[in-house]
Amino acid sequence: MDDWKSKQGIYGAADPDDMDADVPLNDEARQPLSRKVSIASSKVNPYRMVIILRLFVLCVFLRYRILNPVPEAIPLWLTSIVCEIWFAVSWILDQFPKWYPIDRETYLDRLSLRYEREGEPSMLSPVDLFVSTVDPLKEPPLVTANTVLSILAVDYPVDKVSCYVSDDGASMLSFESLSETAEFARKWVPFCKKFNIEPRAPEFYFSRKVDYLKDKVQPTFVQERRAMKREYEEFKVRINALVSKAQKVPEEGWIMKDGTPWPGNNTRDHPGMIQVFLGHSGGLDTEGNELPRLVYVSREKRPGFQHHKKAGAMNRQIRVSAVLTNAPFMLNLDCDHYINNSKAIRESMCFLMDPQVGRKVCYVQFPQRFDGIDAHDRYANRNTVFFDVSLYSSQSHLHYA
């Protein structure tokens, strides 16, 4: 990683302050890109007291269970004791980040000052983003499309972003829906960047019950938003038509538009498939600007071989990306994990590309949020204690390649 950064001129293997010798040491760009923010004891201490109380009750319960065996069913009693101790240890380990929570603040302006100088190419690190899906009838293509669209519209240099969609079910439905998504992205991405909208997943943007005119000053916004919503509704109709068509598989198998059989008709015995839908050498948006790279990947499968499910699919994504883009950082998302903050990649780079702490950081996780939950959240599906108290809690993560 240091070798790559040295070649890019980001910083040398020696002192990071050796770079930009012409910039004064007290310049804003020299300052750290992030900092720890202390959390008031008044917010943390009540939960710590709850942890202590629960720990006391847990110790009393385990003492009673251990000292009172069941002679008539010793094997079952011993099994239950082992399970209870296991769950107790798991719970205790889960309390460590909650006992001493850490909050951090990033400085995106400093990141831009350091790595995006005016009149020079951006020095921000490239990122490969991986999206995994298997069965489009269980994981709706429209959900996957929203995840992909939120990736393509991120606030990051387009030549630094590449999205790889893994279709481990070798489904022609996934392939065709991704093709439709690529076409819609030509209109959606420039709209997002022109009006700086959030979130950049159209399904969730158009369904939000908020004042969408807030902070919008362009006179054409209302008209263009209305036109874009109509375009999205038509896009949804096309995706739904593909889903309806895929409900009944033809006896001869699926046939592609060029008349050739779909290579993935036999999902357990088919060759590998790679299709670049959008790339840096082509695929412009409606305003003539480049779009991030979008690649469809379906790994080869043969009978008699262990394919290791999602882990194997991700390994193939890494191998394909190593040939096409070979970015030093990877961001992994499930097909239903859209990016609700277009600056999320920049936020993570404030840790990974910080000259002081970047050498010690190789893994960044984002808090996870949930849509479609009732206002009272009676079943605690938001998991606010875990995701709002602890920084390190998510299923979406960015790390070194």
Side-chain angles (χ1 to χ4, degrees):
M1 192 63 202
D2 287 341
D3 181 63
W4 178 87
K5 290 183 177 181
S6 299
K7 291 179 180 178
Q8 297 293 321
I10 295 179
Y11 61 74
D15 189 353
D17 287 336
D18 290 343
M19 67 167 288
D20 310 333
D22 57 327
V23 180
L25 288 176
N26 60 351
D27 190 272
E28 181 73 11
R30 295 283 190 155
Q31 301 302 314
L33 302 180
S34 65
R35 72 180 181 93
K36 292 183 180 180
V37 180
S38 58
I39 300 177
S41 299
S42 59
K43 294 183 178 180
V44 180
N45 286 339
Y47 190 75
R48 288 174 176 170
M49 297 301 296
V50 173
I51 292 178
I52 293 174
L53 178 61
R54 290 175 175 175
L55 184 61
F56 174 76
V57 173
L58 182 63
C59 291
V60 172
F61 171 76
L62 291 177
R63 181 179 182 275
Y64 171 80
R65 292 286 286 121
I66 294 174
L67 298 180
N68 293 272
V70 181
E72 296 82 4
I74 290 296
L76 292 177
W77 170 82
L78 185 61
T79 302
S80 65
I81 289 295
V82 171
C83 293
E84 289 163 359
I85 293 176
W86 169 258
F87 286 121
V89 172
S90 300
W91 178 82
I92 292 172
L93 293 176
D94 188 48
Q95 303 313 302
F96 284 121
K98 300 176 184 178
W99 183 269
Y100 188 71
I102 298 175
D103 197 4
R104 302 179 189 271
E105 185 179 72
T106 58
Y107 299 100
L108 299 179
D109 54 342
R110 296 177 183 176
L111 181 75
S112 296
L113 286 172
R114 179 175 286 272
Y115 298 113
E116 293 183 297
R117 298 181 186 175
E118 187 176 355
E120 298 181 9
S122 174
M123 299 296 293
L124 290 173
S125 173
V127 180
D128 288 339
L129 296 98
F130 299 148
V131 179
S132 301
T133 183
V134 180
D135 187 349
L137 298 180
K138 295 180 179 179
E139 300 168 331
L142 189 61
V143 174
T144 304
N146 273 269
T147 299
V148 172
L149 290 169
S150 71
I151 292 172
L152 298 178
V154 292
D155 182 7
Y156 207 73
V158 294
D159 60 326
K160 307 285 186 178
V161 177
S162 300
C163 177
Y164 295 84
V165 180
S166 171
D167 174 22
D168 211 30
S171 171
M172 189 170 171
L173 172 57
S174 297
F175 181 86
E176 291 184 335
S177 62
L178 194 62
S179 177
E180 290 286 350
T181 303
E183 290 301 317
F184 179 71
R186 301 176 192 271
K187 305 172 185 177
W188 174 251
V189 173
F191 171 77
C192 293
K193 295 185 176 181
K194 180 178 181 180
F195 297 107
N196 194 30
I197 67 167
E198 296 287 350
R200 298 189 176 180
E203 182 69 23
F204 304 98
Y205 170 70
F206 289 121
S207 62
R208 294 180 70 188
K209 305 300 182 182
V210 297
D211 180 13
Y212 64 86
L213 296 177
K214 185 179 180 180
D215 300 327
K216 297 296 185 294
V217 296
Q218 296 94 327
T220 61
F221 172 69
V222 174
Q223 181 181 357
E224 293 193 34
R225 183 185 186 275
R226 189 180 299 116
M228 183 54 61
K229 187 174 183 179
R230 184 171 58 252
E231 291 280 356
Y232 178 63
E233 295 296 334
E234 294 175 357
F235 168 72
K236 289 172 64 175
V237 170
R238 293 194 297 270
I239 295 294
N240 291 335
L242 293 175
V243 174
S244 178
K245 175 184 173 182
Q247 299 293 331
K248 186 177 181 181
V249 181
E251 294 182 0
E252 65 278 9
W254 296 110
I255 304 296
M256 295 189 291
K257 292 181 180 180
D258 60 359
T260 58
W262 171 245
N265 278 325
N266 186 343
T267 58
R268 298 186 178 183
D269 186 6
H270 64 83
M273 293 176 281
I274 300 175
Q275 174 67 45
V276 179
F277 285 107
L278 299 173
H280 306 315
S281 59
L284 304 179
D285 63 26
T286 54
E287 298 184 358
N289 299 316
E290 291 282 352
L291 289 168
R293 190 185 299 268
L294 176 60
V295 183
Y296 169 89
V297 179
S298 183
R299 58 176 171 154
E300 178 183 5
K301 287 188 176 181
R302 300 299 179 191
F305 290 89
Q306 175 58 258
H307 300 292
H308 302 289
K309 298 183 179 180
K310 184 176 180 179
M314 288 190 61
N315 283 334
R316 296 306 185 275
Q317 283 180 307
I318 293 173
R319 293 182 183 182
V320 173
S321 67
V323 175
L324 296 181
T325 52
N326 198 29
F329 296 104
M330 301 179 297
L331 175 61
N332 179 49
L333 297 164
D334 282 350
C335 64
D336 58 349
H337 284 178
Y338 72 92
I339 298 177
N340 67 348
N341 176 9
S342 63
K343 298 184 183 296
I345 300 180
R346 291 180 179 269
E347 299 270 3
S348 63
M349 289 304 163
C350 287
F351 303 105
L352 296 168
M353 296 187 70
D354 189 297
Q356 280 75 37
V357 303
R359 297 172 183 270
K360 302 176 182 179
V361 178
C362 67
Y363 193 88
V364 174
Q365 285 186 296
F366 302 101
Q368 187 176 358
R369 295 294 181 265
F370 302 90
D371 288 309
I373 299 176
D374 64 276
H376 302 289
D377 191 18
R378 56 178 60 88
Y379 299 112
N381 289 318
R382 295 185 191 275
N383 212 349
T384 52
V385 172
F386 187 75
F387 290 120
D388 290 343
V389 174
S390 174
L391 175 69
Y392 302 103
S393 52
S394 176
Q395 293 182 11
S396 303
H397 42 272
L398 191 149
H399 51 85
Y400 278 130

